[in-house]
Amino acid sequence: MAICAFVFSTTIGQVPAYKKWRCNGQGVPRTDPCENRWPGIACEEMGGALHIIGISISGANAGGVLPSGLMNLKTLRYLDLSYNAMTSEIPNTISGLFLLEYLDLSGNKIENGVPEILGFMPSMKYFICMACGLDGQLPLSLGFSRTIMGLQLSNNKLDGTIPTTYGSMEGLVYLDVSLNQ
């Protein structure tokens, strides 16, 4: 199961508040994350079965990397991994999360810049990555998004100017790129 890819690539299972987050050696959760209400997991019934729609472990101090296998959670709508000790790139496989609306990676060590693929995600509304070490320039692709309402990318190492395409973002309500280079 995809949630086990996350458990195995991070230290979340070692954090006392998340001790229910356990998987066996075959990558199967020892208990059902939805039925047993794993902390930080939100579920919703779809098609007669419970599916994970949200993961929120803000401030858990979990280390590790953001696994590409997590992107197999096709029903995921929000992912809040803010203020942990994760080091990773944002994997391009995130584009497979067609329903993802909210992504917060603030306070982690995210390598490289903002991936172009985020601008093409059909449901993305909020991308937040404050003080996470993003570098490079803002991608043009975000300016073509019809769904993004908020970008909070302050206190990083981004450089250059805001692309002119951002002026065409009909839904954009909030943009913060302060405290960058």
Side-chain angles (χ1 to χ4, degrees):
M1 187 172 197
I3 194 69
C4 288
F6 183 71
V7 172
F8 290 145
S9 69
T10 67
T11 60
I12 190 66
Q14 298 168 17
V15 177
Y18 297 91
K19 64 184 178 188
K20 284 186 176 182
W21 290 52
R22 299 276 190 251
C23 297
N24 67 24
Q26 289 77 40
V28 177
R30 291 190 180 162
T31 61
D32 185 276
C34 293
E35 290 180 9
N36 291 288
R37 296 189 174 119
W38 284 15
I41 299 284
C43 300
E44 186 175 283
E45 186 175 334
M46 289 180 243
L50 287 172
H51 295 275
I52 297 173
I53 61 162
I55 299 174
S56 180
I57 60 163
S58 180
N61 202 30
V65 298
L66 187 62
S68 59
L70 183 64
M71 305 317 155
N72 292 326
L73 290 171
K74 301 296 184 195
T75 55
L76 202 62
R77 290 189 200 140
Y78 66 89
L79 182 58
D80 183 354
L81 306 178
S82 61
Y83 303 102
N84 281 286
M86 295 188 190
T87 56
S88 182
E89 290 183 6
I90 300 171
N92 282 332
T93 53
I94 198 167
S95 64
L97 296 178
F98 300 116
L99 300 177
L100 191 66
E101 298 176 2
Y102 180 92
L103 177 61
D104 190 346
L105 301 173
S106 298
N108 289 291
K109 301 277 187 258
I110 305 301
E111 299 166 359
N112 294 335
V114 179
E116 289 279 345
I117 199 72
L118 288 179
F120 301 108
M121 294 182 67
S123 300
M124 182 64 71
K125 292 181 181 172
Y126 299 96
F127 176 52
I128 304 164
C129 200
M130 300 180 296
C132 58
L134 290 174
D135 60 13
Q137 296 185 346
L138 292 169
L140 291 173
S141 65
L142 287 176
F144 298 114
S145 172
R146 293 186 174 158
T147 58
I148 291 181
M149 297 171 67
L151 291 171
Q152 172 59 290
L153 304 173
S154 63
N155 201 17
N156 283 293
K157 296 180 264 180
L158 297 170
D159 58 22
T161 60
I162 297 172
T164 57
T165 56
Y166 286 40
S168 304
M169 296 175 73
E170 296 172 8
L172 188 65
V173 176
Y174 185 78
L175 172 64
D176 184 355
V177 290
S178 64
L179 302 174
N180 279 284
Q181 296 178 355

